[in-house]
Amino acid sequence: MLEKESPIKGIIKSLGLVFGDIGTSPIYTLTVIFLLTEPTQQNVMGVLSLIVWTLIILVTVEYAWLAMSLGKKGEGGTIVLKELLVPLLKSGRKASFVALLSFIGISLLIGDGVITPAISILSAVEGSLLIPGFEKTPQTVLILIAAIIAITLFSFQRKGTGKVAGAFGPIMVIWFLSLSVSGIISILQVPSVVKAVNPYYAFKFFADNGVSGYLVLSEVILCATGGEAMYADMGHLGRKPILKAWSFVFIALLTNYFGQGAYILQHPEAKNILFSMVFHQAPLLYVPFLLLSIVATIIASQAMISGMFSIVYQGINTRIMPMFKVDYTSEEMRAQIYIGSVNWFLLLAVLFIMFEFGESSKLAAAYGFAVNGDMILTAFLMTWIFFLRGKRLNAIISMFIIVVVLLFFGANISKIPHGGYWSIILASIPFLTIMLYTRGQRRLYKMMKFIPLEEFLNKFTKAYPTIAKIKGTALFLIRDIKEIPFYITQTMFYHGIIYEDNIFVSIIKRDDPFGVTGYFKEDITKGLRLFEIQYGYMEVVDVEELLREAGIDEKTIFYGIEDITTRSAVWKMFSIIKKVTPAFVQFYKLPSRKLHGVITRVEM
């Protein structure tokens, strides 16, 4: 358990699993900003001040302080905010609205997750242009190298990352120390840059540059991308190690940004600021630093991929996403999962984005828009929760954050014509999938023929003593004991298949994130029992193991299969999703030799 780990070990783990994305932002943030802005003394001080206060308000206050105070059994993330807020609401319409917001938030995170490895890996590879002899390397070659790194990374996922994950933290410690040392060396040459902590320089920047200065916010937000991982990954590592790690990361990032600011004041012609600064300071150490930066971006991408698997798995467990095939990559840690369809979708999207934009500076036009939208949703849901809980001060601070992130969002809208629309397109794919699946499931449930338990028992108690019974135990999968699905009545009463021991197995998702229990409830009637499995929505459930622990040795497992017929193009798409994704029994890896599917035709 996390509590038994030493504090230092927890902090180092956090550096590797949480802060890769925001930790690699110095590779491209200032470089992109000063493509839009002249690197004058006033502009450099203004931009540095904006970065300082962006990290304070959007990362430290919004996520480290406020969001991370809203956990559920130590778990965080958009789905947790929904689970916390819905019970506080009295209106079903408000609950539906909150659910919709959580769907948008999840989709934005997935859309932004595609761009993270693309811009991180590509920008690190572009650092090779400063190596003597490599200055004229064609951009196409750089893209191919970045693509090979991405393909290798995604191909490795099936084998699991548990064995190498232990190295992520120490490598990121070296990365952040390198950023700090490089930053300090430059600051010593122009120590006045530290004055940028004063917000006066940020306001003066807006006053001097007007609208163009405001639009710079669309690139300044790149320094905060990845901050949302602190809250999303809280359940994996615990709140305290992440907060302590953030103190170290925050100082390292500020030191490096100040150093880059000092460097560009002395070398305004610099294009790739971080790499130029390191090459200028220590030419002999440049290649090792470049390799370290590539490894750091791979770690950042790995954290994103693992995060996407966790988000999708939460979506499956909370029944808002189709039951994609899930593989477990570690016998020791059930939370180590691999979702092939998600993995290959992300890889194709990453490769497409790399080849579509070609350069990291152009890719920045699409980056930050989605995470900015997620920041708005997080701040809005937090404000609502704090208000309903009576925490007025926190609610007021959250409202201030909403204003700030909306200002950033206004600037980010300018990105849409220049590639930002890809961020929306990428996020729309999971969003439309969620909307189609949830609405389809509701409609399908309404169309299914269920009979009340009382009516079913009336038929069962008459049939059980008279029908010739099959020896052994049969399991029947159901959702709610109060409503018996048609496939069970079809099996027992139309086909006369009744076993000596019949067990209804009900698998119920709980509102809390953790915990798995399986137990027999009071016998329903002679020859019919109910076994109930309850699980937290973050849990990876091994149904077969729970059945074995309960002493159940079934001969066969019956489950329902819906054969959907429809003329509607929308419901045809839903039907295709149902066909290509694993059935309930496949998802929970029940023994195939014992499975018996009963088809029910449903017209939608």
Side-chain angles (χ1 to χ4, degrees):
M1 295 296 290
L2 291 170
E3 290 77 7
K4 295 180 181 178
E5 288 186 346
S6 68
I8 297 297
K9 190 175 181 181
I11 292 169
I12 292 173
K13 267 191 175 181
S14 299
L15 293 175
L17 299 176
V18 178
F19 295 104
D21 188 358
I22 196 169
T24 51
S25 295
I27 294 176
Y28 48 79
T29 300
L30 279 179
T31 294
V32 171
I33 290 172
F34 286 109
L35 289 176
L36 300 177
T37 310
E38 287 292 321
T40 62
Q41 172 82 23
Q42 293 82 1
N43 285 349
V44 169
M45 293 297 287
V47 167
L48 289 177
S49 186
L50 285 172
I51 287 175
V52 171
W53 287 97
T54 297
L55 290 174
I56 291 173
I57 295 172
L58 297 190
V59 183
T60 305
V61 177
E62 179 173 6
Y63 287 106
W65 177 25
L66 294 178
M68 293 183 75
S69 71
L70 295 173
K72 197 166 186 181
K73 289 195 174 181
E75 191 63 36
T78 305
I79 289 179
V80 169
L81 288 177
K82 177 179 82 76
E83 298 285 341
L84 289 171
L85 182 53
V86 168
L88 301 174
L89 302 173
K90 297 177 182 178
S91 166
R93 286 187 176 182
K94 289 180 180 178
S96 298
F97 177 63
V98 170
L100 178 64
L101 290 182
S102 71
F103 296 166
I104 295 172
I106 292 165
S107 303
L108 288 173
L109 278 176
I110 294 173
D112 194 67
V114 168
I115 302 173
T116 298
I119 191 171
S120 299
I121 296 173
L122 189 55
S123 57
V125 170
E126 287 172 350
S128 61
L129 291 173
L130 291 173
I131 301 174
F134 288 82
E135 301 93 336
K136 296 182 180 180
T137 304
Q139 190 65 27
T140 307
V141 174
L142 298 178
I143 296 170
L144 286 173
I145 294 171
I148 290 169
I149 292 172
I151 291 168
T152 304
L153 174 64
F154 280 92
S155 299
F156 190 74
Q157 298 305 309
R158 180 182 288 277
K159 297 180 181 179
T161 57
K163 293 180 181 178
V164 295
F168 290 173
I171 291 171
M172 292 307 293
V173 170
I174 298 171
W175 169 250
F176 285 118
L177 287 175
S178 301
L179 291 180
S180 300
V181 170
S182 177
I184 290 169
I185 292 171
S186 279
I187 292 171
L188 290 175
Q189 296 174 23
V190 190
S192 60
V193 291
V194 297
K195 293 180 182 178
V197 295
N198 188 338
Y200 160 79
Y201 292 100
F203 290 113
K204 189 173 187 303
F205 177 79
F206 290 137
D208 292 343
N209 293 278
V211 174
S212 61
Y214 171 65
L215 294 179
V216 168
L217 285 179
S218 67
E219 307 301 348
V220 170
I221 200 168
L222 297 180
C223 75
T225 54
E228 70 283 354
M230 295 173 66
Y231 185 45
D233 291 337
M234 189 167 72
H236 298 297
L237 298 159
R239 183 171 180 265
K240 288 183 179 179
I242 292 176
L243 291 179
K244 288 177 181 177
W246 171 240
S247 300
F248 169 62
V249 171
F250 179 66
I251 293 170
L253 291 177
L254 285 192
T255 303
N256 191 262
Y257 281 124
F258 282 143
Q260 288 190 50
Y263 179 79
I264 200 168
L265 284 174
Q266 294 179 300
H267 305 87
E269 75 286 351
K271 298 301 179 185
N272 200 328
I273 301 171
L274 175 63
F275 291 115
S276 295
M277 179 173 75
V278 174
F279 185 79
H280 177 78
Q281 293 169 345
L284 293 177
L285 294 176
Y286 180 73
V287 172
F289 178 81
L290 177 63
L291 294 174
L292 177 63
S293 70
I294 292 173
V295 174
T297 58
I298 290 171
I299 290 172
S301 302
Q302 177 58 57
M304 179 281 300
I305 297 167
S306 299
M308 292 303 104
F309 290 162
S310 295
I311 289 171
V312 172
Y313 192 81
Q314 282 186 49
I316 293 169
N317 272 349
T318 49
R319 292 174 179 165
I320 65 171
M321 285 189 177
M323 287 188 166
F324 300 111
K325 185 176 183 292
V326 177
D327 293 311
Y328 309 114
T329 58
S330 170
E331 292 181 3
E332 294 80 21
M333 294 181 65
R334 296 286 290 170
Q336 287 280 327
I337 58 174
Y338 169 76
I339 306 176
S341 52
V342 175
N343 186 66
W344 301 122
F345 164 75
L346 289 174
L347 174 59
L348 290 174
V350 167
L351 295 177
F352 173 79
I353 286 295
M354 282 182 176
F355 284 98
E356 172 69 17
F357 286 89
E359 297 176 20
S360 60
S361 57
K362 292 179 181 177
L363 188 50
Y367 197 38
F369 185 85
V371 75
N372 191 182
D374 186 68
M375 287 175 175
I376 294 171
L377 292 174
T378 299
F380 179 75
L381 293 175
M382 284 194 314
T383 304
W384 204 345
I385 292 169
F386 286 135
F387 179 78
L388 293 176
R389 287 185 173 180
K391 295 185 176 182
R392 305 289 174 175
L393 177 61
N394 286 4
I396 290 170
I397 296 171
S398 293
M399 289 176 69
F400 168 72
I401 291 172
I402 290 175
V403 173
V404 174
V405 290
L406 283 174
L407 288 172
F408 275 96
F409 192 74
N412 267 308
I413 289 174
S414 65
K415 286 183 173 182
I416 293 176
H418 305 288
Y421 58 86
W422 278 114
S423 191
I424 299 171
I425 292 170
L426 291 169
S428 69
I429 295 172
F431 179 73
L432 292 174
T433 302
I434 291 171
M435 293 302 293
L436 176 61
Y437 185 75
T438 51
R439 293 194 176 190
Q441 286 291 86
R442 281 199 299 269
R443 186 175 179 88
L444 180 61
Y445 193 78
K446 287 179 182 178
M447 302 298 292
M448 294 288 288
K449 297 176 182 177
F450 295 91
I451 67 170
L453 177 61
E454 187 177 342
E455 184 181 336
F456 172 82
L457 288 178
N458 186 41
K459 291 184 177 183
F460 183 84
T461 52
K462 290 178 181 177
Y464 187 76
T466 58
I467 292 178
K469 294 174 283 296
I470 302 171
K471 288 184 179 181
T473 299
L475 305 184
F476 295 86
L477 302 179
I478 64 170
R479 179 179 291 186
D480 187 352
I481 187 60
K482 295 175 184 177
E483 295 181 320
I484 309 302
F486 177 70
Y487 89 86
I488 296 180
T489 59
Q490 185 181 2
T491 301
M492 289 185 172
F493 308 137
Y494 295 168
H495 302 306
I497 300 174
I498 297 182
Y499 280 68
E500 289 178 339
D501 184 22
N502 302 277
I503 302 175
F504 286 168
V505 178
S506 176
I507 303 177
I508 299 170
K509 184 264 303 181
R510 292 203 304 247
D511 290 336
D512 51 314
F514 295 110
V516 179
T517 56
Y519 55 93
F520 278 107
K521 303 197 81 171
E522 189 176 328
D523 288 1
I524 303 170
T525 188
K526 184 181 178 182
L528 185 61
R529 298 186 287 167
L530 173 62
F531 186 75
E532 187 169 282
I533 295 172
Q534 295 187 4
Y535 67 95
Y537 55 82
M538 282 294 292
E539 288 287 0
V540 179
V541 186
D542 189 334
V543 174
E544 189 175 9
E545 184 181 338
L546 289 169
L547 295 174
R548 295 295 82 80
E549 289 175 357
I552 299 172
D553 184 18
E554 73 282 349
K555 203 170 186 179
T556 186
I557 302 172
F558 290 97
Y559 66 100
I561 302 173
E562 301 89 10
D563 179 22
I564 300 171
T565 60
T566 180
R567 293 181 179 179
S568 166
V570 173
W571 300 134
K572 280 181 180 178
M573 290 176 65
F574 171 70
S575 175
I576 292 170
I577 290 175
K578 293 283 284 184
K579 286 177 181 177
V580 299
T581 53
F584 184 87
V585 291
Q586 292 171 302
F587 178 78
Y588 286 110
K589 301 192 183 303
L590 293 169
S592 57
R593 67 188 182 281
K594 296 181 179 180
L595 296 176
H596 188 85
V598 182
I599 298 174
T600 302
R601 177 159 288 186
V602 181
E603 188 171 339
M604 291 180 68

